[in-house]
Structures are given as C-alpha cells and as structure tokens.
Amino acid sequence: MKTFYEWDVETLDANGDVQDHDHESKLKAHRQYGAAILSGKRNDLRLVLVRDVGSDDDGVAERAWAYVKDGKLPDEFDDGTPVPQRFHIELNSAYKKKETKQ
C-alpha cells in the first residue's frame, strides 16, 4: 500500500457544509487562495492536508485529514497518524513568504 498526501482547499457554504474541493500536491499550487486562507479573513475557505493510503489497483483504503488552524497543522491526522514534518515546513514557508510581502 502506498501513502499519498494532498493539500485541499475546501469551499464552504453559509452553513459550513463543504461545497467544493481543490486538491493539489503542493501548497504553492493554491496561490489563488493564499492571502485569503493565510490571513484567516475568509470563513468560506478551509485548508486541510489529506492523507490517503491505498494502491493504484484497489483505490483508497484509508483517508485521514489534518485541518490547518490558526496557521498551523496539528501534530497528527484525525486518525492519530503523525503529520510528516515536511508538511509543517511547507506550511511555515508559505506563511513566511506571506509575512515578508506585507
């Protein structure tokens, strides 16, 4: 079984229900949402790191989520699996770039 990770920007409606997803393998691909997500000023967008375990033949066997809150990833996905350090670094790098542009 392989493990795959994706950054997902969820678009929410007024009730907080997910209406759309935009999955990308790298956070920088979400540049069009960058300022809105990183500033926390948009309640209709939510950033999450998704972890899928599966195979090309069998599809996804397991899926877990780690929602970014206050600009930080949690230490673990919602299933208790640790979030790899490289994703914390990727997110922190995105914040540093935003802060230097202000």
Side-chain angles (χ1 to χ4, degrees), residues 6-62:
E6 293 183 294
W7 292 100
D8 179 20
V9 174
E10 297 177 341
T11 304
L12 310 173
D13 66 15
N15 297 317
D17 295 324
V18 177
Q19 297 300 307
D20 198 10
H21 294 273
D22 187 355
H23 293 269
E24 298 288 350
S25 60
K26 296 288 183 188
L27 185 56
K28 68 182 179 180
H30 285 304
R31 281 187 201 155
Q32 71 271 28
Y33 303 110
I37 290 172
L38 297 179
S39 70
K41 294 179 181 177
R42 295 265 312 260
N43 293 329
D44 64 330
L45 298 175
R46 185 166 60 187
L47 180 62
V48 59
L49 181 64
V50 181
R51 176 184 170 270
D52 290 333
V53 177
S55 68
D56 293 335
D57 296 331
D58 298 327
V60 175
E62 298 174 26

Side-chain angles (χ1 to χ4, degrees), residues 35 38-39 41 95-102:
L38 297 179
S39 70
K41 294 179 181 177
Y95 271 96
K96 286 180 185 176
K97 287 179 184 175
K98 178 191 174 286
E99 290 170 1
T100 59
K101 290 182 181 180
Q102 290 182 348

